[in-house]
Amino acid sequence: MRPGCVLVFCVCISVFLRRAISQPPTETDTYTECTDGYHWDPQTQHCKDINECETIPEACKGEMKCFNHYGGYLCLPRSASVIPAPDPPNQVHPSLENTASESFNLCPQGFEPQGDSCVDVDECERDRHDCQPSQQCFNTEGSFSCQCPDGYRKVGTECIDIDECRYRYCQHRCVNVPGSFSCQCEPGFQLAGNNRSCIDVDECGMGAPCSQRCYNTYGTFLCRCEQGYELGPDGFACNDIDECSYSSYLCQYQCVNEHGKFSCVCPDGYQLLSTRLCQDINECETGAHQCSDGQTCVNIHGGHKCVDNKSCQEPYVQVSENRCTCPVTKPSCRDMPYSIVHRYMSITSERTVPSDIFQIQATSVYPGAYNTFRVRSGDDNGDFYIRQINNISAMLVLARAVKGPREYVLDLEMVSVNPLMSYHTSSVLRLTIYVGPYAF
């Protein structure tokens, strides 16, 4: 067919339709009947939607809620959310509409002429669709389709949000949002790469506020302290432990607290033994003394003494380094002990009593002689006594606890008597006792 013929045919049809439509409508052209769900509105002369949720008592039962929509209504759960749509265009009688202003279209529905052919009409772009506001319009060949966005499902003509949280997509917490959802983790965890699982956070590697040691655990972390420190009330800071305040027996003499530890110190004249005990320094052996050649160094607890080698006093005569005798040829020696031997010793302060401290032993024994021992002088307070062991020996006993520093000079006498020979003599051991200032 030639194009010219087609054009003449279209013009003839168009003129015919204009004449038919331009005729004034008669009384029989008025329609007052509407489809189900609509009623005739005399004022607007159009069909109007009926709100069944208001006109029907208890339209939805139980926990269901009524939602009105075009030409009907829906019963949905009360938790459902519906995106409302504007009122549709007034329904008119399905007769020819606006044909006077539109050109006659020979193409199938959903197409329009373009030159000698028919092309698809994009109803979505030209807003010639009836998709609800909650729906998305997708153009198809000769038509269109209304679909719900991701995260929504279609109920009737409405798109309702899908609650993805009820499907337990998240390991910890799920937060539903319109059209989607998000996963959240408990404190101490973070979302994995799949945005659903939760993995532990290593707080120790991320700058946890532990002042010393940090240990990562599942979902949290722990702070620990070095030896000598304790964890503070906040669980993060480490405070020094004052070990010295816990006990007075940590050190034999004095405890010194330090950061994270403690140390023991000893007084002058003592040295630290191991880590806690104090041991006397023997200055006489180490040479740390100032004694002269004519003196003898005597070590005592916490120090030393320098004593003269020539310690004999008239009428005694020195016969050896520490022994003096009183010659019988001298009248003044008649009532005096025949010999005096000098000895020195040191004991600790506050020693437990009774305590054996020095044993006396006779060096010369005569047949038939009876020996007795006694404290001749130097014990004015009765701090000592003699316990005789046998005929030739006795023990000096500390009777009362004494506190140093203090010095005693005791004359321990051995009296020898021989009745058969009418023999009577005595000798003295002059014992100098130094009591140290401490109990060690």
Side-chain angles (χ1 to χ4, degrees):
M1 181 181 292
R2 293 193 301 269
C5 296
V6 174
L7 181 59
V8 172
F9 179 77
C10 292
V11 170
C12 293
I13 294 297
S14 175
V15 172
F16 176 77
L17 288 176
R18 286 198 183 101
R19 288 180 180 178
I21 295 173
S22 62
Q23 293 178 0
T26 61
E27 198 65 23
T28 58
D29 291 334
T30 302
Y31 296 90
T32 60
E33 293 183 3
C34 301
T35 58
D36 292 341
Y38 294 86
H39 69 90
W40 180 257
D41 187 358
Q43 185 176 357
T44 61
Q45 295 293 306
H46 291 293
C47 291
K48 188 177 181 180
D49 175 58
I50 299 172
N51 189 347
E52 292 84 357
C53 295
E54 296 179 355
T55 60
I56 301 176
E58 297 184 2
C60 297
K61 305 294 184 180
E63 295 298 323
M64 306 300 283
K65 183 179 179 181
C66 181
F67 290 87
N68 183 61
H69 77 111
Y70 309 127
Y73 67 97
L74 296 173
C75 290
L76 301 177
R78 294 184 181 275
S79 60
S81 59
V82 177
I83 301 175
D87 291 335
N90 296 328
Q91 179 174 325
V92 297
H93 191 272
S95 60
L96 293 176
E97 301 175 3
N98 300 329
T99 54
S101 61
E102 296 181 0
S103 60
F104 185 75
N105 185 9
L106 295 180
C107 295
Q109 185 178 359
F111 293 85
E112 64 182 4
Q114 188 177 42
D116 294 341
S117 60
C118 295
V119 295
D120 176 59
V121 176
D122 190 345
E123 294 86 355
C124 298
E125 182 179 352
R126 298 185 182 183
D127 201 19
R128 294 182 182 179
H129 61 84
D130 57 356
C131 296
Q132 302 297 331
S134 61
Q135 299 173 344
Q136 293 177 341
C137 177
F138 291 89
N139 185 59
T140 61
E141 190 74 16
S143 184
F144 63 94
S145 65
C146 299
Q147 300 180 12
C148 292
D150 292 340
Y152 291 85
R153 61 188 176 93
K154 193 173 183 180
V155 178
T157 60
E158 299 293 341
C159 292
I160 299 177
D161 174 56
I162 299 174
D163 186 3
E164 295 87 353
C165 293
R166 63 180 179 177
Y167 299 111
R168 300 183 182 273
Y169 289 141
C170 301
Q171 182 179 358
H172 284 183
R173 293 198 304 261
C174 178
V175 179
N176 186 58
V177 294
S180 184
F181 70 98
S182 64
C183 296
Q184 297 179 355
C185 297
E186 301 292 342
F189 296 87
Q190 63 183 6
L191 279 176
N194 59 10
N195 288 328
R196 296 187 179 185
S197 303
C198 293
I199 56 176
D200 176 59
V201 174
D202 185 3
E203 295 88 351
C204 298
M206 299 175 64
C210 297
S211 62
Q212 290 186 358
R213 294 181 180 178
C214 179
Y215 295 93
N216 185 59
T217 60
Y218 189 69
T220 183
F221 65 96
L222 296 174
C223 295
R224 290 294 180 264
C225 300
E226 305 285 351
Q227 184 176 359
Y229 294 87
E230 61 182 356
L231 201 62
D234 59 359
F236 305 133
C238 290
N239 302 323
D240 175 59
I241 298 174
D242 185 2
E243 296 87 352
C244 299
S245 65
Y246 284 102
S247 174
S248 58
Y249 298 99
L250 291 177
C251 299
Q252 193 173 32
Y253 175 63
Q254 184 178 353
C255 178
V256 178
N257 184 60
E258 300 177 12
H259 287 293
K261 62 179 181 178
F262 71 96
S263 61
C264 297
V265 296
C266 296
D268 293 339
Y270 294 83
Q271 62 185 359
L272 197 63
L273 178 65
S274 182
T275 57
R276 302 185 178 187
L277 302 179
C278 292
Q279 184 183 47
D280 173 58
I281 299 174
N282 192 333
E283 295 86 355
C284 299
E285 292 182 357
T286 62
H289 61 83
Q290 302 296 327
C291 298
S292 63
D293 293 339
Q295 294 178 321
T296 299
C297 180
V298 178
N299 185 64
I300 62 175
H301 286 86
H304 66 283
K305 293 288 186 179
C306 296
V307 296
D308 295 332
N309 294 333
K310 295 181 179 181
S311 55
C312 298
Q313 298 177 356
E314 286 290 339
Y316 286 89
V317 178
Q318 189 159 355
V319 294
S320 65
E321 183 177 336
N322 61 348
R323 187 169 185 265
C324 304
T325 60
C326 194
V328 294
T329 57
K330 292 183 178 182
S332 57
C333 293
R334 182 175 301 176
D335 297 327
M336 303 288 287
Y338 174 71
S339 66
I340 298 177
V341 177
H342 293 269
R343 290 285 185 268
Y344 306 92
M345 69 172 298
S346 177
I347 62 174
T348 59
S349 180
E350 300 179 353
R351 189 168 178 169
T352 56
V353 292
S355 178
D356 297 346
I357 61 172
F358 191 85
Q359 184 173 353
I360 310 167
Q361 184 77 33
T363 56
S364 299
V365 180
Y366 299 98
Y370 294 96
N371 300 316
T372 58
F373 301 87
R374 66 168 183 156
V375 179
R376 180 183 176 94
S377 64
D379 184 23
D380 299 334
N381 297 324
D383 297 330
F384 304 88
Y385 67 87
I386 292 289
R387 184 182 76 250
Q388 188 159 340
I389 300 173
N390 50 42
N391 190 46
I392 60 172
S393 64
M395 182 66 69
L396 178 66
V397 180
L398 179 64
R400 296 193 305 178
V402 292
K403 187 174 182 180
R406 190 171 180 179
E407 182 178 334
Y408 291 90
V409 179
L410 301 179
D411 280 353
L412 307 180
E413 185 179 29
M414 182 184 73
V415 179
S416 298
V417 178
N418 189 335
L420 297 178
M421 299 178 61
S422 298
Y423 176 76
H424 179 279
T425 186
S426 68
S427 60
V428 168
L429 189 149
R430 184 161 290 169
L431 180 63
T432 302
I433 302 175
Y434 300 100
V435 182
Y438 307 106
F440 48 84

